[in-house]
Amino acid sequence: MLNKFFRKKDIATALSESEGLNGGLKRTLSATNLVTLGIGAIVGTGIFVITGQAAAAYAGPSLTISFLISAVCCVLAGLCYAEFASMIPISGSVYSYSYVTTGELLAWFIGWDLVLEYLFACSSVAVGWSGYMLNLLESWGIHLPSHITASTFVYNDGWAFRGSIINFPAVFIVGVVTAFLIGGIKQSAFVNNIIVAIKVSVILLFIGFGISYIDFGNWDPYIPENTGEFGKYGWSGILRGAGVVFFAYLGFDALSTTAQETRNPQKDMPKGILISLVICAVLYIAVTAVLTGIVDYKKLNVDAPIATALDKGGIGLTWLSPLIKLGAIAGISSVILVMMLGQSRIYYAISSDGLLPKIFSKVNRRGVPHNATIFACIITGLTAGLFPLDVLSELVSIGTLMAFMIVCISIVVLRKTQPDLHRPFKTPFVPFIPLLGAGVCLLQMVALPWSTWLRLIGWTVIGLAIYFLYGIRKSNLNKK
């Protein structure tokens, strides 16, 4: 029994899948597609939603430092991702990497963790999209009933029924994005390219025109004094803020799930991951500085903080407000698209190995795992409609940090166990870079609230039950 937990997927088998010998996905993505997919996923909720909430609750104006800490951590992890994605270019991201390095049980654990990561990432972004859409509709004089525009449940020292039926706009956008994904990866990438162009233009407009409306008094103090509670402002607040906003960089992780659909993954995956990371880190820090300069950070704990900043920025920014809101809606839509793409590919990869029912690895004539995509739509829509944004984002952060930590450690393990493998891209300064990346991830995880850890433990227990009741018996390795 113990041997089953640590049995590994053969590297040659994994590579044969990457060459399309055992898979049904089509290689259609170029290097440009990868960069825009990365930007499409990374720049979204982190800028348009979580910036305001994290500044208000944890770090104030010093959230810029939180984003810098997270960016450094992501670059360290990104170097490790780049090595794996070029060496084993198949769907599954960290799940697939773990399967060939540390064995089946840990691979299942991280795969289940990735399900948590992408499920709650998609859901939290959909809730943010709902906030911006409602804000835009209200500015046009259109008011939707409250019982179809808010989450069903609210968490305040315990779960409570809010009185709302469901957050319908959040469910709606998940359904629309799913329709595009079913149409094929090429069509999805084309739509994403257009949205990214709009989104980046809108962000640059906000930075360029917003600078002149900065009130430097809003930055004083730059690091608000700690309230006496860990994580409430001060340096501990900066650290907790870094942990919370960390999931804003999730895009490059989602990018690695498309390796099996990339034309030249050995060359283009490292470029896509690292270039998109650098561009997005600069945008995050700049937007956070302008946002907290225009509005007192204490007033930013809302679903649409940039829209709020523009509304309060004075008459000179009024003309920009509808354009920013439309751009934010389009931009957040691209995040949902890439996160849903990544989520469906995780189901596909785990199902291909037999750890989930084979129905999720079936591919239609367009090369799309349609059953996995539809399943992702159903559970994401329900989660987005029922639960509030703050709980969703914290769960995404701890799931993302766990995945990054494991991929950093796996690089060190594989360098020791299989040093002769062909590595088109090599992480520099091993083991220093991977271990530093793993350490920074762990530090940010420790800073997250205990309630987030409890939910992760609960999720893990459910995952282990599924593995022992189904996966361990149905695994392709078990059959061999």
Coordinates of all heavy atoms in Angstrom, one line a residue, residues 364-398:
N364 N -13.5 17.1 -27.6 CA -14.3 17.2 -28.8 C -13.5 17.4 -30.1 O -12.3 17.5 -30.0 CB -15.4 18.3 -28.6 CG -14.8 19.7 -28.5 OD1 -13.7 19.9 -28.8 ND2 -15.6 20.6 -28.0
R365 N -14.2 17.6 -31.2 CA -13.4 17.7 -32.5 C -12.6 19.0 -32.6 O -11.7 19.1 -33.4 CB -14.4 17.6 -33.6 CG -15.5 18.7 -33.6 CD -16.5 18.5 -34.7 NE -17.6 19.5 -34.7 CZ -17.5 20.7 -35.2 NH1 -16.4 21.1 -35.8 NH2 -18.5 21.6 -35.1
R366 N -12.9 20.0 -31.7 CA -12.1 21.2 -31.7 C -10.9 21.1 -30.8 O -10.1 22.0 -30.6 CB -13.0 22.4 -31.3 CG -14.1 22.7 -32.2 CD -14.8 24.0 -31.7 NE -15.9 24.4 -32.6 CZ -17.2 24.0 -32.4 NH1 -17.5 23.2 -31.3 NH2 -18.1 24.4 -33.2
G367 N -10.7 19.9 -30.2 CA -9.5 19.7 -29.3 C -9.8 20.3 -27.9 O -8.9 20.6 -27.2
V368 N -11.1 20.4 -27.5 CA -11.4 21.0 -26.2 C -12.0 19.9 -25.3 O -12.8 19.1 -25.7 CB -12.5 22.1 -26.4 CG1 -13.0 22.6 -25.0 CG2 -12.0 23.2 -27.2
P369 N -11.5 19.8 -24.0 CA -12.0 18.9 -23.1 C -13.4 19.4 -22.6 O -13.5 20.1 -21.6 CB -11.0 18.8 -21.9 CG -10.3 20.1 -22.0 CD -10.3 20.5 -23.5
H370 N -14.4 19.2 -23.4 CA -15.7 19.8 -23.2 C -16.4 19.4 -21.9 O -17.0 20.3 -21.3 CB -16.6 19.5 -24.4 CG -16.8 18.1 -24.7 ND1 -15.8 17.3 -25.2 CD2 -17.9 17.3 -24.6 CE1 -16.3 16.1 -25.4 NE2 -17.5 16.0 -25.0
N371 N -16.3 18.2 -21.5 CA -17.0 17.8 -20.3 C -16.3 18.4 -19.1 O -17.0 18.9 -18.1 CB -16.9 16.3 -20.1 CG -17.8 15.5 -21.1 OD1 -18.8 16.1 -21.6 ND2 -17.4 14.4 -21.6
A372 N -15.0 18.5 -19.1 CA -14.3 19.2 -18.0 C -14.6 20.7 -18.0 O -14.8 21.2 -16.9 CB -12.8 19.0 -18.2
T373 N -14.8 21.3 -19.1 CA -15.1 22.7 -19.2 C -16.5 23.0 -18.7 O -16.7 23.9 -17.9 CB -15.0 23.2 -20.6 OG1 -13.6 22.9 -21.1 CG2 -15.2 24.7 -20.7
I374 N -17.5 22.1 -19.1 CA -18.8 22.3 -18.6 C -18.9 22.1 -17.1 O -19.6 22.8 -16.4 CB -19.8 21.4 -19.3 CG1 -19.9 21.8 -20.8 CG2 -21.2 21.4 -18.7 CD1 -20.6 20.8 -21.7
F375 N -18.2 21.1 -16.6 CA -18.2 20.8 -15.1 C -17.6 22.0 -14.4 O -18.2 22.4 -13.3 CB -17.4 19.6 -14.8 CG -17.3 19.2 -13.4 CD1 -18.4 18.7 -12.7 CD2 -16.1 19.4 -12.7 CE1 -18.4 18.4 -11.3 CE2 -16.0 19.1 -11.3 CZ -17.2 18.6 -10.7
A376 N -16.5 22.6 -14.9 CA -15.9 23.7 -14.3 C -16.9 24.9 -14.3 O -17.0 25.7 -13.3 CB -14.6 24.1 -15.1
C377 N -17.7 25.1 -15.3 CA -18.7 26.1 -15.4 C -19.7 26.0 -14.3 O -20.1 27.0 -13.6 CB -19.3 26.1 -16.8 SG -20.8 27.2 -16.9
I378 N -20.2 24.8 -14.1 CA -21.3 24.5 -13.1 C -20.8 24.8 -11.7 O -21.5 25.6 -11.0 CB -21.8 23.1 -13.2 CG1 -22.5 22.9 -14.6 CG2 -22.8 22.8 -12.1 CD1 -22.8 21.4 -14.9
I379 N -19.7 24.3 -11.3 CA -19.3 24.4 -9.9 C -18.7 25.9 -9.7 O -18.9 26.4 -8.6 CB -18.2 23.4 -9.5 CG1 -17.0 23.4 -10.3 CG2 -18.8 22.0 -9.5 CD1 -15.9 22.5 -9.8
T380 N -18.1 26.5 -10.7 CA -17.6 27.8 -10.5 C -18.8 28.8 -10.4 O -18.8 29.7 -9.6 CB -16.8 28.2 -11.7 OG1 -15.6 27.4 -11.8 CG2 -16.2 29.7 -11.5
G381 N -19.8 28.6 -11.2 CA -21.0 29.5 -11.2 C -21.7 29.4 -9.8 O -22.1 30.4 -9.3
L382 N -21.8 28.2 -9.3 CA -22.5 28.1 -8.0 C -21.7 28.7 -6.9 O -22.2 29.4 -6.0 CB -22.7 26.6 -7.7 CG -23.8 25.9 -8.5 CD1 -23.8 24.4 -8.2 CD2 -25.2 26.5 -8.2
T383 N -20.4 28.5 -6.9 CA -19.5 29.1 -5.9 C -19.5 30.6 -5.9 O -19.6 31.3 -4.9 CB -18.1 28.6 -6.0 OG1 -18.1 27.1 -6.0 CG2 -17.2 29.1 -4.9
A384 N -19.5 31.2 -7.1 CA -19.5 32.6 -7.3 C -20.8 33.2 -6.9 O -20.9 34.3 -6.3 CB -19.2 33.0 -8.8
G385 N -21.9 32.5 -7.1 CA -23.2 33.0 -6.8 C -23.5 32.9 -5.3 O -24.3 33.7 -4.8
L386 N -22.9 32.0 -4.6 CA -23.3 31.8 -3.2 C -22.4 32.4 -2.1 O -22.8 32.8 -1.0 CB -23.3 30.2 -2.9 CG -24.3 29.4 -3.7 CD1 -24.1 27.9 -3.4 CD2 -25.7 29.8 -3.4
F387 N -21.1 32.6 -2.4 CA -20.1 33.0 -1.4 C -19.5 34.4 -1.7 O -19.4 34.8 -2.8 CB -19.0 32.0 -1.3 CG -19.5 30.6 -0.9 CD1 -19.6 29.6 -1.8 CD2 -19.9 30.4 0.4 CE1 -20.1 28.4 -1.5 CE2 -20.4 29.1 0.8 CZ -20.5 28.1 -0.2
P388 N -19.1 35.1 -0.6 CA -18.6 36.5 -0.7 C -17.1 36.5 -1.1 O -16.4 35.5 -1.0 CB -18.7 37.0 0.7 CG -18.6 35.8 1.6 CD -19.3 34.7 0.8
L389 N -16.7 37.7 -1.6 CA -15.3 37.8 -2.2 C -14.2 37.6 -1.2 O -13.2 37.0 -1.6 CB -15.2 39.2 -2.8 CG -13.9 39.6 -3.5 CD1 -13.7 38.7 -4.7 CD2 -13.9 41.0 -4.0
D390 N -14.3 38.1 0.0 CA -13.1 38.1 0.9 C -12.7 36.6 1.2 O -11.6 36.3 1.3 CB -13.4 38.9 2.2 CG -14.7 38.5 2.9 OD1 -15.5 37.7 2.3 OD2 -14.9 38.9 4.0
V391 N -13.7 35.8 1.5 CA -13.4 34.4 1.8 C -12.8 33.7 0.6 O -11.9 32.9 0.8 CB -14.7 33.7 2.3 CG1 -14.5 32.2 2.5 CG2 -15.2 34.3 3.6
L392 N -13.3 33.9 -0.6 CA -12.8 33.3 -1.8 C -11.4 33.6 -2.0 O -10.6 32.8 -2.4 CB -13.7 33.7 -3.0 CG -15.2 33.2 -2.9 CD1 -15.9 33.8 -4.1 CD2 -15.3 31.7 -2.9
S393 N -11.0 34.9 -1.9 CA -9.7 35.4 -2.3 C -8.6 34.8 -1.3 O -7.5 34.5 -1.8 CB -9.6 36.9 -2.3 OG -9.9 37.4 -1.0
E394 N -9.0 34.7 0.0 CA -8.0 34.1 0.9 C -7.7 32.7 0.6 O -6.6 32.2 0.8 CB -8.5 34.4 2.3 CG -8.4 35.8 2.8 CD -8.9 36.0 4.2 OE1 -9.3 35.0 4.8 OE2 -8.9 37.2 4.7
L395 N -8.7 31.9 0.3 CA -8.6 30.5 -0.1 C -7.7 30.3 -1.3 O -6.9 29.4 -1.4 CB -9.9 29.8 -0.3 CG -10.6 29.4 1.0 CD1 -12.0 29.0 0.7 CD2 -9.9 28.2 1.6
V396 N -7.9 31.2 -2.3 CA -7.1 31.2 -3.5 C -5.6 31.4 -3.2 O -4.7 30.8 -3.7 CB -7.6 32.2 -4.5 CG1 -6.6 32.2 -5.7 CG2 -9.0 31.9 -5.0
S397 N -5.4 32.4 -2.3 CA -4.0 32.7 -2.0 C -3.2 31.6 -1.3 O -2.1 31.3 -1.7 CB -4.0 33.9 -1.0 OG -4.4 35.1 -1.7
I398 N -3.9 30.9 -0.4 CA -3.2 29.8 0.3 C -3.0 28.6 -0.7 O -1.9 27.9 -0.6 CB -3.9 29.4 1.6 CG1 -2.9 28.6 2.5 CG2 -5.2 28.6 1.3 CD1 -3.5 28.4 3.9

